[in-house]
Amino acid sequence: MAIINADITLGILGGGQLGRMSAMAAARLGIAVIIYSPEQDCPASYVAKETIVASYDDQDALKAFCEKTDIITYEFENIPLKTIEYIETLKANAVLPEKTLLDVSQDRIKEKTFLNEQDIQTTRWAAVRDLNDIQATATLWGSPRFILKTARFGYDGKGQIKCEAATLSDDKDLQSYLEETKGHDIIMEDFVPFTKEISIIIARDVNGKTELYGPMLNEHKNHILHKTTMPCDIAETIKDKAFSVSKTISEAISLIGVLTVEFFVCDDGTLLVNEIAPRTHNSGHWTVDACCVSQFENHVRTVCGLPVGSSKRHSDATMLNLIGDDINHIDHYLDDDCANIHLYGKKQVKKGRKMGHVTILSPKTNAY
Ligand code: AMP
């Protein structure tokens, strides 16, 4: 029998909305949360027992964080690996999900290498450094369009550029991109004319039991997730493949925690993994309102040694992100009895900033 120990204090590195919603789920289980964030008044700080505001390389602050917490997790993948390594010198095996996953997901080259080693199909890719490499790869592949991405620290389309094989040598945007990214590793990918972008979220507990959410259909605007629909209209075979790929990844790294897998679905039914994230995900926000146990509760449960909970969906859901100024136009949702509004408490509205989301529920229409 699992005992929920009311004395557990969970430390979360990072204080954004994902940390906030995990802290709220922890509070429901009677688990206290201490947030560690370089940002004063971060979204998670409003719902946590305490927030330590310090940089990720502040060893004194990290020491205090370790002393006050029993288990440590993170809410986004760009926490420096050195921070986790330092924490582990103070507190062995305290950080979950385990750091191999963080290491792999911080670098697109390592990520794709790891996926391909598990026989998981990704877009065709190559590590490139300069225009010569790009031209040579374009010639070798013989395909018309590519995407270049910085290997590290790219998200929401940042550090990416699309280019055409025919105009590589006189593409001014490409020249500026290569200037800006000089010295950084770059990955070149075939441009995939996908028909859908989907994601799966998998939670795996200490006993290896898993629960899956999805596949969710994801639609982006300006590279930022705009809308997630669950369930998505997709062939049963693709759903099964996406589940099995997600399980393979979680088993390959003996996941304890939550992992998100993003896929491209092509016209002919081919499924390609675009990226993985060792954490809860924006495309799983609807699980708070439409599932028995949300992705956030399962994050807390699994890293705290509790059994993973049922991901069963009781309603269909559409999640809409409130980006930037969208937050000033939510009046109609206040009167909508199917709309669940979630705001993150961010004081400053900025273009492209995720300020909140709305999940609209409707009666469940299919079996999964
Ligand atoms: P990423 O940062 O890799 O998730 O890319 C952001 C978005 O760019 C994705 O959600 C896709 O919409 C698009 N994208 C990324 N890679 C490719 C690709 N190889 N082919 C076509 N579209 C892509």
Side-chain angles (χ1 to χ4, degrees):
M1 191 177 75
I3 311 265
I4 299 189
N5 181 349
D7 285 340
I8 295 179
T9 299
L10 172 66
I12 303 182
L13 293 157
Q17 59 269 18
L18 300 177
R20 177 184 170 101
M21 289 184 269
S22 292
M24 287 160 82
R28 270 189 36 184
L29 297 175
I31 294 170
V33 165
I34 300 186
I35 298 292
Y36 189 105
S37 166
E39 190 196 332
Q40 190 88 42
D41 295 330
C42 61
S45 66
Y46 296 100
V47 297
K49 179 183 170 195
E50 187 183 335
T51 302
I52 296 177
V53 181
S55 67
Y56 289 122
D57 60 2
D58 183 333
Q59 296 198 346
D60 291 337
L62 288 169
K63 200 156 174 258
F65 182 57
C66 287
E67 281 163 4
K68 290 176 178 199
T69 53
D70 301 299
I71 298 149
I72 294 172
T73 187
Y74 43 86
E75 59 117 40
F76 78 120
E77 62 272 33
N78 285 331
I79 303 286
L81 208 61
K82 281 207 163 93
T83 302
I84 309 290
E85 285 163 354
Y86 178 68
I87 289 175
E88 287 189 336
T89 64
L90 304 172
K91 230 176 159 74
N93 306 319
V95 183
L96 289 171
E98 201 264 323
K99 68 173 181 300
T100 319
L101 184 55
L102 191 70
D103 186 28
V104 162
S105 57
Q106 282 183 350
D107 185 314
R108 293 182 194 272
I109 295 172
K110 283 188 190 173
E111 183 177 61
K112 292 249 188 331
T113 305
F114 162 77
L115 290 166
N116 297 157
E117 279 168 2
Q118 317 305 316
D119 278 334
I120 293 170
Q121 212 178 339
T122 58
T123 41
R124 182 163 51 171
W125 65 275
V128 292
R129 284 235 143 208
D130 53 30
L131 189 58
N132 283 341
D133 285 354
I134 296 167
Q135 277 169 327
T137 309
T139 308
L140 185 70
W141 289 355
S143 38
R145 295 170 85 193
F146 313 98
I147 290 199
L148 298 173
K149 302 176 181 179
T150 48
R152 300 175 71 83
F153 304 115
Y155 63 96
D156 291 344
K158 290 189 179 70
Q160 294 189 17
I161 187 170
K162 227 182 281 175
C163 41
E164 310 276 331
T167 54
L168 284 177
S169 47
D170 42 31
D171 184 334
K172 294 272 176 293
D173 291 339
L174 176 60
Q175 281 162 21
S176 325
Y177 176 85
L178 291 174
E179 270 307 307
E180 280 163 31
T181 57
K182 216 178 193 138
H184 295 274
D185 290 329
I186 295 170
I187 188 168
M188 176 165 169
E189 294 178 13
D190 256 338
F191 182 85
V192 181
F194 56 77
T195 51
K196 285 189 175 84
E197 286 190 84
I198 62 167
S199 56
I200 297 280
I201 296 172
I202 183 165
R204 187 169 181 274
D205 68 20
V206 73
N207 296 317
K209 183 168 185 281
T210 55
E211 286 284 328
L212 291 135
Y213 301 96
M216 286 76 83
L217 174 69
N218 299 321
E219 294 167 64
H220 297 80
K221 267 191 195 167
N222 303 320
H223 297 284
I224 301 173
L225 183 66
H226 161 62
K227 181 178 177 184
T228 292
T229 310
M230 180 66 205
C232 85
D233 179 19
I234 204 154
E236 198 70 13
T237 47
I238 296 178
K239 175 185 79 94
D240 292 346
K241 180 88 200 290
F243 278 175
S244 115
V245 165
S246 306
K247 278 198 173 164
T248 302
I249 299 171
S250 74
E251 278 158 20
I253 40 101
S254 303
L255 173 73
I256 299 174
V258 168
L259 166 80
T260 303
V261 187
E262 294 181 48
F263 300 88
F264 297 144
V265 183
C266 304
D267 225 0
D268 61 359
T270 310
L271 196 59
L272 304 172
V273 173
N274 177 35
E275 58 181 5
I276 57 176
R279 55 165 171 82
T280 56
H281 196 259
N282 196 167
S283 65
H285 287 1
W286 61 276
T287 63
V288 172
D289 302 301
C291 293
C292 293
V293 176
S294 73
Q295 61 162 352
F296 300 107
E297 183 172 332
N298 266 333
H299 175 203
V300 174
R301 282 190 187 215
T302 50
V303 300
C304 289
L306 298 169
V308 67
S310 168
S311 60
K312 201 165 177 209
R313 189 176 94 257
H314 54 70
S315 302
D316 287 355
T318 301
M319 189 281 317
L320 295 162
N321 266 339
L322 300 171
I323 310 282
D325 189 42
D326 290 347
I327 196 172
N328 297 321
H329 306 281
I330 58 168
D331 286 11
H332 57 292
Y333 293 126
L334 295 169
D335 293 330
D336 181 341
D337 54 12
C338 296
N340 297 267
I341 304 172
H342 300 254
L343 305 179
Y344 308 147
K346 295 181 184 176
K347 300 280 171 278
Q348 227 186 332
V349 178
K350 283 190 207 158
K351 192 166 174 263
R353 192 174 203 200
K354 291 175 181 163
M355 304 300 295
H357 69 271
V358 180
T359 301
I360 297 158
L361 298 181
S362 54
K364 189 173 172 181
T365 51
N366 75 5
Y368 75 85

